[in-house]
């Protein structure tokens, strides 16, 4: 399968667009939460179409089940027994991450 010559350019552009869409989602969430959800949906579609992985810091900003933008008011975070549990307050999905205690 042949690759396009400017695949690196399209990947860089896709990364920039995803970053910009998440910034817009953060700015617009208070006034228009449905608009911020749409920005997240567009960023996810860019990621799948261009076949570029979404950065880890962006993956934690939306719920994988319902696709909504997770602002601090839309997620409940608990730390217990070495695990961080983030719960989406819209659909109830829990995301568990290991937590290192020094």
């Amino acid at each position: 399968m042949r690759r396009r010559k400017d695949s690196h350019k399209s990947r860089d552009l896709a990364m920039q667009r995803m970053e910009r869409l998440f910034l817009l989602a953060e700015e617009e969430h208070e006034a228009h939460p449905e608009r911020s959800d749409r920005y997240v949906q567009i960023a996810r579609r860019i990621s799948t179409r261009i076949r570029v992985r979404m950065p880890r810091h962006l993956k934690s900003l939306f719920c994988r089940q319902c696709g909504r933008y997770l602002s601090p008011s839309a997620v409940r975070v608990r730390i217990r027994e070495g695990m961080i549990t983030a719960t989406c307050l819209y659909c109830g999905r829990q995301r568990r991450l290991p937590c290192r205690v020094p």
Side-chain angles (χ1 to χ4, degrees), residues 56-76:
R56 183 177 288 167
H57 68 278
L58 294 181
K59 280 185 186 180
S60 63
L61 294 177
F62 67 92
C63 177
R64 289 187 180 185
Q65 184 169 344
C66 62
R68 292 194 177 199
Y69 177 72
L70 293 178
S71 67
S73 62
V75 66
R76 179 176 56 228

mmCIF file of all heavy atoms in Angstrom, residues 56-76:
data_model
loop_
_atom_site.group_PDB
_atom_site.id
_atom_site.type_symbol
_atom_site.label_atom_id
_atom_site.label_comp_id
_atom_site.label_asym_id
_atom_site.label_seq_id
_atom_site.Cartn_x
_atom_site.Cartn_y
_atom_site.Cartn_z
ATOM 1 N N ARG A 56 -2.373 11.540 24.869
ATOM 2 C CA ARG A 56 -2.922 11.057 26.132
ATOM 3 C C ARG A 56 -3.612 12.167 26.920
ATOM 4 O O ARG A 56 -4.646 11.950 27.541
ATOM 5 C CB ARG A 56 -1.810 10.442 26.973
ATOM 6 C CG ARG A 56 -2.313 9.849 28.277
ATOM 7 C CD ARG A 56 -1.212 9.198 29.046
ATOM 8 N NE ARG A 56 -0.826 7.970 28.371
ATOM 9 C CZ ARG A 56 0.259 7.276 28.639
ATOM 10 N NH1 ARG A 56 1.077 7.700 29.577
ATOM 11 N NH2 ARG A 56 0.549 6.180 27.995
ATOM 12 N N HIS A 57 -3.052 13.368 26.886
ATOM 13 C CA HIS A 57 -3.660 14.448 27.655
ATOM 14 C C HIS A 57 -5.009 14.877 27.075
ATOM 15 O O HIS A 57 -5.835 15.438 27.778
ATOM 16 C CB HIS A 57 -2.708 15.644 27.775
ATOM 17 C CG HIS A 57 -2.447 16.359 26.487
ATOM 18 N ND1 HIS A 57 -1.515 15.921 25.566
ATOM 19 C CD2 HIS A 57 -2.998 17.469 25.970
ATOM 20 C CE1 HIS A 57 -1.506 16.747 24.536
ATOM 21 N NE2 HIS A 57 -2.393 17.693 24.753
ATOM 22 N N LEU A 58 -5.251 14.590 25.800
ATOM 23 C CA LEU A 58 -6.550 14.899 25.207
ATOM 24 C C LEU A 58 -7.548 13.768 25.423
ATOM 25 O O LEU A 58 -8.749 14.001 25.529
ATOM 26 C CB LEU A 58 -6.406 15.168 23.708
ATOM 27 C CG LEU A 58 -5.609 16.402 23.311
ATOM 28 C CD1 LEU A 58 -5.581 16.548 21.800
ATOM 29 C CD2 LEU A 58 -6.160 17.642 23.962
ATOM 30 N N LYS A 59 -7.051 12.533 25.500
ATOM 31 C CA LYS A 59 -7.941 11.391 25.704
ATOM 32 C C LYS A 59 -8.671 11.458 27.037
ATOM 33 O O LYS A 59 -9.789 10.979 27.163
ATOM 34 C CB LYS A 59 -7.154 10.084 25.662
ATOM 35 C CG LYS A 59 -6.830 9.588 24.296
ATOM 36 C CD LYS A 59 -6.167 8.247 24.429
ATOM 37 C CE LYS A 59 -5.683 7.735 23.105
ATOM 38 N NZ LYS A 59 -5.031 6.429 23.245
ATOM 39 N N SER A 60 -8.033 12.064 28.016
ATOM 40 C CA SER A 60 -8.649 12.123 29.339
ATOM 41 C C SER A 60 -9.691 13.231 29.447
ATOM 42 O O SER A 60 -10.334 13.369 30.482
ATOM 43 C CB SER A 60 -7.575 12.330 30.396
ATOM 44 O OG SER A 60 -6.934 13.575 30.200
ATOM 45 N N LEU A 61 -9.883 14.013 28.395
ATOM 46 C CA LEU A 61 -10.808 15.142 28.450
ATOM 47 C C LEU A 61 -12.201 14.821 27.921
ATOM 48 O O LEU A 61 -13.050 15.704 27.873
ATOM 49 C CB LEU A 61 -10.232 16.324 27.661
ATOM 50 C CG LEU A 61 -8.964 16.942 28.237
ATOM 51 C CD1 LEU A 61 -8.468 18.053 27.326
ATOM 52 C CD2 LEU A 61 -9.205 17.463 29.633
ATOM 53 N N PHE A 62 -12.437 13.583 27.498
ATOM 54 C CA PHE A 62 -13.777 13.223 27.038
ATOM 55 C C PHE A 62 -14.111 11.811 27.488
ATOM 56 O O PHE A 62 -13.238 11.004 27.771
ATOM 57 C CB PHE A 62 -13.910 13.358 25.520
ATOM 58 C CG PHE A 62 -13.095 12.381 24.732
ATOM 59 C CD1 PHE A 62 -13.629 11.169 24.338
ATOM 60 C CD2 PHE A 62 -11.800 12.675 24.364
ATOM 61 C CE1 PHE A 62 -12.896 10.263 23.615
ATOM 62 C CE2 PHE A 62 -11.049 11.779 23.639
ATOM 63 C CZ PHE A 62 -11.592 10.572 23.256
ATOM 64 N N CYS A 63 -15.401 11.538 27.566
ATOM 65 C CA CYS A 63 -15.876 10.214 27.964
ATOM 66 C C CYS A 63 -15.913 9.323 26.724
ATOM 67 O O CYS A 63 -16.453 9.709 25.690
ATOM 68 C CB CYS A 63 -17.269 10.322 28.579
ATOM 69 S SG CYS A 63 -17.971 8.734 29.031
ATOM 70 N N ARG A 64 -15.382 8.140 26.833
ATOM 71 C CA ARG A 64 -15.356 7.237 25.689
ATOM 72 C C ARG A 64 -16.712 6.628 25.388
ATOM 73 O O ARG A 64 -16.969 6.208 24.268
ATOM 74 C CB ARG A 64 -14.355 6.124 25.920
ATOM 75 C CG ARG A 64 -12.943 6.614 25.864
ATOM 76 C CD ARG A 64 -12.003 5.448 25.919
ATOM 77 N NE ARG A 64 -10.628 5.927 25.872
ATOM 78 C CZ ARG A 64 -9.595 5.122 25.816
ATOM 79 N NH1 ARG A 64 -9.779 3.819 25.839
ATOM 80 N NH2 ARG A 64 -8.378 5.597 25.772
ATOM 81 N N GLN A 65 -17.582 6.559 26.381
ATOM 82 C CA GLN A 65 -18.886 5.941 26.158
ATOM 83 C C GLN A 65 -19.882 6.916 25.542
ATOM 84 O O GLN A 65 -20.494 6.629 24.524
ATOM 85 C CB GLN A 65 -19.446 5.404 27.471
ATOM 86 C CG GLN A 65 -20.745 4.663 27.289
ATOM 87 C CD GLN A 65 -21.145 3.927 28.543
ATOM 88 O OE1 GLN A 65 -20.337 3.722 29.442
ATOM 89 N NE2 GLN A 65 -22.387 3.514 28.604
ATOM 90 N N CYS A 66 -20.055 8.081 26.156
ATOM 91 C CA CYS A 66 -21.063 9.016 25.651
ATOM 92 C C CYS A 66 -20.460 10.086 24.752
ATOM 93 O O CYS A 66 -21.192 10.780 24.045
ATOM 94 C CB CYS A 66 -21.833 9.658 26.802
ATOM 95 S SG CYS A 66 -20.844 10.647 27.924
ATOM 96 N N GLY A 67 -19.138 10.262 24.758
ATOM 97 C CA GLY A 67 -18.484 11.203 23.862
ATOM 98 C C GLY A 67 -18.560 12.649 24.300
ATOM 99 O O GLY A 67 -18.242 13.546 23.523
ATOM 100 N N ARG A 68 -18.926 12.905 25.540
ATOM 101 C CA ARG A 68 -19.055 14.281 26.010
ATOM 102 C C ARG A 68 -17.729 14.809 26.533
ATOM 103 O O ARG A 68 -16.873 14.056 26.980
ATOM 104 C CB ARG A 68 -20.090 14.360 27.122
ATOM 105 C CG ARG A 68 -21.459 14.086 26.609
ATOM 106 C CD ARG A 68 -22.442 14.505 27.623
ATOM 107 N NE ARG A 68 -23.794 14.296 27.105
ATOM 108 C CZ ARG A 68 -24.847 14.893 27.592
ATOM 109 N NH1 ARG A 68 -24.727 15.719 28.592
ATOM 110 N NH2 ARG A 68 -26.023 14.661 27.090
ATOM 111 N N TYR A 69 -17.613 16.130 26.469
ATOM 112 C CA TYR A 69 -16.443 16.807 27.021
ATOM 113 C C TYR A 69 -16.530 16.765 28.542
ATOM 114 O O TYR A 69 -17.563 17.086 29.126
ATOM 115 C CB TYR A 69 -16.398 18.251 26.532
ATOM 116 C CG TYR A 69 -15.267 19.049 27.119
ATOM 117 C CD1 TYR A 69 -13.959 18.818 26.719
ATOM 118 C CD2 TYR A 69 -15.503 20.020 28.069
ATOM 119 C CE1 TYR A 69 -12.920 19.540 27.254
ATOM 120 C CE2 TYR A 69 -14.466 20.743 28.610
ATOM 121 C CZ TYR A 69 -13.183 20.508 28.200
ATOM 122 O OH TYR A 69 -12.156 21.226 28.741
ATOM 123 N N LEU A 70 -15.470 16.342 29.195
ATOM 124 C CA LEU A 70 -15.466 16.217 30.650
ATOM 125 C C LEU A 70 -14.776 17.421 31.275
ATOM 126 O O LEU A 70 -13.560 17.465 31.409
ATOM 127 C CB LEU A 70 -14.755 14.929 31.076
ATOM 128 C CG LEU A 70 -15.443 13.634 30.696
ATOM 129 C CD1 LEU A 70 -14.607 12.454 31.146
ATOM 130 C CD2 LEU A 70 -16.827 13.563 31.290
ATOM 131 N N SER A 71 -15.575 18.390 31.644
ATOM 132 C CA SER A 71 -15.064 19.535 32.387
ATOM 133 C C SER A 71 -14.970 19.136 33.851
ATOM 134 O O SER A 71 -15.505 18.099 34.256
ATOM 135 C CB SER A 71 -15.999 20.725 32.206
ATOM 136 O OG SER A 71 -17.231 20.451 32.825
ATOM 137 N N PRO A 72 -14.330 19.936 34.679
ATOM 138 C CA PRO A 72 -14.270 19.589 36.109
ATOM 139 C C PRO A 72 -15.646 19.478 36.758
ATOM 140 O O PRO A 72 -15.803 18.767 37.756
ATOM 141 C CB PRO A 72 -13.465 20.739 36.707
ATOM 142 C CG PRO A 72 -12.622 21.221 35.594
ATOM 143 C CD PRO A 72 -13.439 21.038 34.349
ATOM 144 N N SER A 73 -16.645 20.124 36.199
ATOM 145 C CA SER A 73 -17.987 20.021 36.773
ATOM 146 C C SER A 73 -18.734 18.785 36.271
ATOM 147 O O SER A 73 -19.799 18.459 36.786
ATOM 148 C CB SER A 73 -18.797 21.268 36.430
ATOM 149 O OG SER A 73 -18.956 21.373 35.036
ATOM 150 N N ALA A 74 -18.189 18.086 35.276
ATOM 151 C CA ALA A 74 -18.876 16.929 34.690
ATOM 152 C C ALA A 74 -18.213 15.607 35.032
ATOM 153 O O ALA A 74 -18.620 14.570 34.516
ATOM 154 C CB ALA A 74 -18.937 17.088 33.177
ATOM 155 N N VAL A 75 -17.205 15.639 35.881
ATOM 156 C CA VAL A 75 -16.510 14.408 36.242
ATOM 157 C C VAL A 75 -16.249 14.400 37.747
ATOM 158 O O VAL A 75 -15.996 15.438 38.350
ATOM 159 C CB VAL A 75 -15.186 14.250 35.438
ATOM 160 C CG1 VAL A 75 -14.179 15.307 35.802
ATOM 161 C CG2 VAL A 75 -14.597 12.885 35.609
ATOM 162 N N ARG A 76 -16.390 13.226 38.353
ATOM 163 C CA ARG A 76 -16.099 13.064 39.775
ATOM 164 C C ARG A 76 -14.830 12.229 39.872
ATOM 165 O O ARG A 76 -14.754 11.133 39.306
ATOM 166 C CB ARG A 76 -17.248 12.370 40.482
ATOM 167 C CG ARG A 76 -16.985 12.152 41.953
ATOM 168 C CD ARG A 76 -18.167 11.552 42.673
ATOM 169 N NE ARG A 76 -18.581 10.306 42.046
ATOM 170 C CZ ARG A 76 -19.850 10.026 41.733
ATOM 171 N NH1 ARG A 76 -20.798 10.894 41.929
ATOM 172 N NH2 ARG A 76 -20.146 8.865 41.182
#
